[in-house]
Amino acid sequence: MTNESIQAAERLIRDNFLSLLPIARREGITIKRMAHLLIHTLTVALDQDESNRFEMMADSGYSRRGIRLLLAEDSDKHSDGTLGRFMNQWAEDAKFPDELPIEARRGPSFDRLHQRYGRDFTRPGLLKVLRKRGMIEVSGDKVRVLRRVVTSQTPPRQLENGRQAMLSLLHTIAHNLSGQAPKLLQKQLGSRAIPSAEIPAVREKIQAALKAAEAEVNTLLAAYGQPKKRAAKDEPETEIGIGVFCYEIADPDTVFNRPTPVPVARRKRRAKKAAAPAKPAAQKTRGSRTKAA
């Protein structure tokens, strides 16, 4: 694999992670939890694939000791997150009721609760984050708990439908990239920049154009009957299906041509360095080490 191929493969994986980030944030899943899910799931998959430890070391980048620790870890590790831990500690500490003054000279207050359990945040920052996620309400100088956990508002069936659609597409991509024959159908029919006012009409036309094809494909596949339970000795069946989706991306460059993310602090340092005046060249002299030109 050439260096360009590795870069392209990493870009494919990186952009998949970036596309999943808005879903994770909306469903209350932290990046730390996402990282644990990724590492733990893939390491267990290598183990179940009956790879020996040396193959697992090569594929995972971890030492044998690291692999043993990963396999022994709880799959639910990091599932609560920083906010979840703070809210759990609030609930478990009887000194702090569900409604608190923000500040108080004596007795319990949100300020004292923050100092005890939430000092990773500033107090205004913690209040802002908890309010934004609908976990507390602030009325005047009072804070009241609304719910203890960051909960998903998405029906599980919608998430499951998304999972199956993504798995089907990724399975096709992985098959085609592996060079196996025959290649599976994988086509992008086309895309155009559409003025906002015309988008509803374009949606309707696309739906109408695909309706006839959808009925024909469903009739074709229905001829093979419904999937049936098979005995262990039976030959495994291959499921064939057609997935159709329509994407609408307001700013395509932010998705298809996004650069490698660079931390904001690093970008600022680079910009400051680029804007700074050039230092005068230095030259050696007999009487001193350097002398400005």
Side-chain angles (χ1 to χ4, degrees), residues 222-234:
Y224 294 90
Q226 295 296 322
K228 60 180 184 298
K229 291 184 179 179
R230 62 182 181 85
K233 62 181 180 180
D234 292 343

Side-chain angles (χ1 to χ4, degrees), residues 259-277:
T260 301
V262 176
V264 173
R266 190 184 302 172
R267 289 206 308 268
K268 288 181 177 178
R269 286 197 300 269
R270 287 180 180 176
K272 186 176 180 180
K273 187 176 180 180

Side-chain angles (χ1 to χ4, degrees), residues 35-225:
H36 177 72
L37 282 173
L38 173 69
I39 295 169
H40 186 268
T41 302
L42 296 184
T43 306
V44 171
L46 290 174
D47 186 54
Q48 292 177 342
D49 195 35
E50 298 183 354
S51 299
N52 64 48
R53 286 295 182 264
F54 298 109
E55 290 174 325
M56 292 180 69
M57 287 169 62
D59 289 332
S60 68
Y62 288 96
S63 65
R64 279 184 290 178
R65 182 175 181 275
I67 290 169
R68 284 198 306 273
L69 293 173
L70 284 169
L71 293 175
E73 276 187 345
D74 181 2
S75 61
D76 289 332
K77 187 177 180 181
H78 308 309
S79 60
D80 52 358
T82 309
L83 292 182
R85 284 195 300 274
F86 174 79
M87 297 303 287
N88 287 337
Q89 289 163 335
W90 185 352
E92 292 166 2
D93 194 330
K95 295 178 183 177
F96 296 97
D98 284 355
E99 185 169 331
L100 291 167
I102 294 178
E103 292 180 330
R105 290 185 178 181
R106 295 181 179 178
S109 67
F110 186 83
D111 182 61
R112 291 189 175 90
L113 179 71
H114 161 257
Q115 290 179 26
R116 182 170 295 185
Y117 298 121
R119 297 185 69 177
D120 285 345
F121 295 85
T122 63
R123 192 185 75 187
L126 181 58
L127 284 168
K128 182 177 181 180
V129 169
L130 291 173
R131 288 181 68 182
K132 186 175 181 180
R133 283 159 174 74
M135 301 173 80
I136 63 167
E137 69 173 2
V138 179
S139 178
D141 62 350
K142 299 277 188 181
V143 178
R144 185 168 69 89
V145 173
L146 296 178
R147 52 189 174 87
R148 295 283 179 189
V149 294
V150 181
T151 56
S152 168
Q153 302 300 314
T154 309
R157 188 65 214 167
Q158 286 186 24
L159 292 168
E160 177 60 19
N161 289 341
R163 185 185 76 90
Q164 292 188 16
M166 186 178 68
L167 284 177
S168 302
L169 178 57
L170 288 174
H171 179 83
T172 300
I173 293 170
H175 173 91
N176 290 341
L177 290 176
S178 71
Q180 297 180 57
K183 284 204 168 188
L184 302 178
L185 177 63
Q186 178 191 332
K187 286 186 177 181
Q188 182 176 330
L189 298 183
S191 63
R192 294 291 185 277
I194 308 295
S196 298
E198 298 179 25
I199 288 177
V202 172
R203 287 183 190 139
E204 290 184 10
K205 290 176 182 178
I206 291 173
Q207 295 274 6
L210 292 175
K211 196 169 184 179
E214 180 182 352
E216 189 173 342
V217 169
N218 287 339
T219 301
L220 183 154
L221 294 176
Y224 294 90

